Amino acid sequence: MIETKTLCAVTVRPDCSLLVQETLAYLKDGVQVSVEPVGTYDLAPGDSLEGKPADAVRIANALWTPEVIAAYAAAHPIPEPDVIVVEEPVVDASVSTESTSEVEIVTETSSEN
C-alpha cells in the first residue's frame, strides 16, 4: 500500500526571511519511493503564517521578534507605486448623444463635359 506524507524544508536566510519548500513523499511499506515538489515560497518577517506548515510557523515564531520585524522592514522598504494622473475627457453637454448611430454624408460632384 502506498502512503503519502507531506514534508517541509525550511531554510533561514541571514535577514531572518524563510525559504519554505513543500514536497509530497510517497511511501511503500514505510520506505520513501518517490517525492513530488508541491511548492517553494518565501516568508518575510512579519508575513502572515496562516495556513503555513507547522515547522515554518515554529521557526518564524522563534525568530521573528518585534526587533527583527522592524529591522527587516527598515532594510526592505516597500516602494511607493508610481501614480499616473489621468485627466477625464471634457464632455460637451450641448451635443446630443441620441441617435448618433445615423450619419448622413453629402458629397458634391461636378461633371464637366
Side-chain angles (χ1 to χ4, degrees):
M1 173 181 222
I2 300 288
E3 301 172 49
T4 59
K5 182 177 183 181
T6 302
L7 304 174
C8 175
V10 180
T11 303
V12 179
R13 295 189 175 125
D15 63 358
C16 291
S17 64
L18 306 178
L19 173 65
V20 182
Q21 298 170 306
E22 293 184 60
T23 56
L24 187 60
Y26 295 93
L27 309 168
K28 182 174 182 180
D29 300 324
V31 178
Q32 182 175 310
V33 293
S34 180
V35 176
E36 179 181 347
V38 175
T40 300
Y41 52 90
D42 295 306
L43 291 173
D47 282 353
S48 171
L49 299 173
E50 187 175 330
K52 304 302 181 202
D55 290 341
V57 172
R58 265 193 305 279
I59 293 168
N61 285 335
L63 292 176
W64 295 353
T65 63
E67 294 81 13
V68 168
I69 294 171
Y72 185 88
H76 300 89
I78 298 172
E80 292 292 323
D82 292 333
V83 177
I84 300 172
V85 178
V86 178
E87 293 183 23
E88 292 187 29
V90 178
V91 178
D92 186 353
S94 66
V95 176
S96 172
T97 58
E98 295 178 15
S99 70
T100 56
S101 60
E102 296 179 21
V103 176
E104 183 178 336
I105 300 175
V106 178
T107 60
E108 292 183 23
T109 58
S110 64
S111 60
E112 292 182 22
N113 288 352

